[in-house]
């Protein structure tokens, strides 16, 4: 498979894993099996163990001492702030508000990429991002809201901080992908990330009653660790090695579509005209962005 084709497949699969995870994570957290911060610690620590176990599959690379600080920054923005703010924000705001705010990520990354990575911003990319944005907003506004949202302004602020933090993370690891294989640096990201989230999640994780878990709940937890964390954090850098940061993040618009399709399959949602139109807008936007040629690295 050509490298660029694999990069597109990797970027797409990241959103597939994230889209499915909305249902699984909701079952675990709202079912009272694991509280949000405890789930984050389990997710990060579990994926971290996997990255260290499988790191031997990557090439033997010597890490420059100065890059450990970059790894730490990647863990701060891509794991600690990103995950903690999103889960805490989701506790206060509604899914509709949260999903609308998250679609600003490709726009933030487009701006940051132009400033820090010197990526060229062309008209088809802007049109594609706007199409995807419109489709995601339409899909989000016609979603179902929750009645137990206690502090929407605070929740929205936390989700926005999460979106900005994730955007900064994408820029940070974009530079690392030029220098190291993903397995070389991601294991350090998750080691630092585990240390950072440990104080927040230890008490909640230690209070978990594992005997209350059914086999399906164990499967859902395992999927979040292996699929939505280990696989996604490995595939994203692989996609970023061949594609622009703004191109990779535009695939985020596929998340609500994939989440909706999975919800329909498991019987928790239904298909209607609005969702079809929104999906067409999103796929059209991603297609336009993917038309851009990858700038060759020196």
């Amino acid at each position: 498979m050509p490298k660029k084709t694999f990069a597109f497949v990797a970027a797409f699969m990241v959103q597939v894993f994230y889209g499915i995870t909305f249902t699984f994570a909701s079952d675990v957290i709202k079912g009272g099996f694991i509280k949000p911060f405890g789930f984050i610690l389990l997710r990060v620590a579990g994926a971290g163990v996997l990255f260290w176990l499988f790191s031997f599959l990557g090439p033997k690379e010597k890490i420059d001492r100065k890059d450990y600080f970059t790894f730490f920054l990647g863990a701060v923005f891509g794991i600690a702030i990103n995950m903690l703010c999103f889960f805490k924000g989701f506790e206060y705001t509604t899914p509709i508000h949260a999903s609308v705010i998250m679609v600003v990520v490709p726009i933030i990354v487009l701006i940051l990429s132009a400033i820090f990575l010197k990526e060229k911003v062309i008209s088809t990319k802007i049109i594609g991002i706007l199409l995807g944005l419109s489709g995601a907003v339409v899909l989000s506004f016609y979603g179902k809201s929750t009645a137990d949202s206690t502090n929407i302004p605070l929740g929205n602020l936390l989700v926005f901080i999460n979106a900005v933090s994730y955007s900064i993370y994408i820029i940070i690891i974009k530079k690392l992908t030029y220098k190291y294989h993903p397995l070389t640096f991601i294991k350090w990201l998750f080691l630092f990330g585990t240390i950072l989230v440990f104080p927040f999640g230890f008490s909640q994780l230690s209070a978990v009653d594992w005997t209350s878990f059914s086999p399906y709940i164990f499967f859902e937890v395992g999927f979040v660790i292996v699929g939505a964390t280990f696989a996604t954090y490995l595939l994203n850098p692989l996609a970023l090695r061949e594609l622009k940061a703004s191109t990779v993040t535009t695939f985020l618009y596929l998340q609500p579509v994939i989440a909706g399709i999975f919800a329909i399959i498991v019987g928790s949602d239904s298909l209607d005209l609005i969702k079809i139109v929104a999906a067409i807008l999103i796929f059209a936007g991603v297609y336009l962005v993917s038309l851009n040629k990858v700038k060759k690295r020196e």
Side-chain angles (χ1 to χ4, degrees):
M1 182 184 294
K3 289 183 178 180
K4 186 176 179 181
T5 302
F6 176 79
F8 282 121
V9 173
F12 176 75
M13 288 307 300
V14 166
Q15 304 311 322
V16 170
F17 286 128
Y18 279 145
I20 295 174
T21 298
F22 276 108
T23 298
F24 288 167
S26 178
D27 288 345
V28 176
I29 294 173
K30 292 183 179 178
F33 295 99
I34 309 178
K35 290 185 178 180
F37 285 177
F39 200 0
I40 290 173
L41 177 57
L42 179 63
R43 176 185 180 185
V44 175
V49 170
L50 291 176
F51 279 119
W52 278 91
L53 286 175
F54 286 94
S55 61
F56 72 93
L57 296 176
K60 300 295 182 181
E61 298 175 308
K62 184 178 180 180
I63 299 175
D64 291 340
R65 184 172 296 182
K66 63 179 181 179
D67 288 332
Y68 283 106
F69 180 67
T70 307
F71 298 161
F72 177 76
L73 286 180
V76 169
F77 290 105
I79 296 177
I81 297 177
N82 172 33
M83 294 187 186
L84 291 172
C85 283
F86 183 77
F87 273 72
K88 195 63 179 178
F90 201 73
E91 182 179 345
Y92 294 123
T93 189
T94 68
I96 292 176
H97 283 80
S99 58
V100 170
I101 293 170
M102 281 305 296
V103 299
V104 306
V105 169
I107 298 173
I108 296 173
V109 171
L110 180 67
I111 296 170
L112 294 178
S113 297
I115 296 173
F116 295 104
L117 300 179
K118 309 303 179 183
E119 289 187 358
K120 187 178 180 180
V121 180
I122 59 178
S123 58
T124 54
K125 183 180 288 290
I126 295 175
I127 294 172
I129 286 177
L130 291 177
L131 277 176
L133 174 66
S134 62
V137 170
V138 168
L139 191 59
S140 299
F141 273 119
Y142 280 87
K144 295 179 180 179
S145 181
T146 56
D148 57 350
S149 302
T150 57
N151 193 337
I152 288 179
L154 175 60
N156 288 348
L157 175 62
L158 290 171
V159 173
F160 181 74
I161 292 172
N162 152 72
V164 174
S165 178
Y166 182 76
S167 302
I168 295 172
Y169 163 75
I170 290 294
I171 301 300
I172 291 173
I173 65 166
K174 173 67 175 177
K175 294 182 177 180
L176 291 176
T177 59
Y178 289 154
K179 194 171 184 179
Y180 303 108
H181 186 276
L183 284 171
T184 301
F185 67 83
I186 292 182
K187 65 181 183 180
W188 290 102
L189 289 181
F190 273 80
L191 177 59
F192 290 135
T194 301
I195 295 171
L196 289 168
V197 302
F198 184 85
F200 297 92
F202 176 72
S203 61
Q204 292 186 359
L205 185 59
S206 60
V208 172
D209 179 13
W210 299 100
T211 61
S212 66
F213 284 36
S214 67
Y216 187 67
I217 294 297
F218 274 115
F219 167 76
E220 290 182 315
V221 171
F223 183 90
V224 172
I225 295 172
V226 179
T229 313
F230 177 74
T232 57
Y233 275 78
L234 180 61
L235 291 172
N236 244 339
L238 291 173
L240 284 165
R241 296 183 83 171
E242 303 298 329
L243 303 176
K244 292 182 177 181
S246 53
T247 299
V248 171
T249 53
T250 303
F251 278 76
L252 183 141
Y253 291 140
L254 296 174
Q255 254 187 60
V257 177
I258 294 167
I261 291 173
F262 184 71
I264 291 169
I265 292 174
V266 299
S268 61
D269 203 348
S270 59
L271 188 65
D272 55 38
L273 182 60
I274 291 295
K275 292 170 185 172
I276 293 173
V277 171
I280 291 173
L281 287 171
I282 290 171
F283 278 107
V286 171
Y287 173 74
L288 282 178
V289 172
S290 67
L291 285 178
N292 295 307
K293 296 291 183 182
V294 181
K295 184 178 180 181
K296 293 182 178 180
R297 290 188 272 120
E298 294 182 0

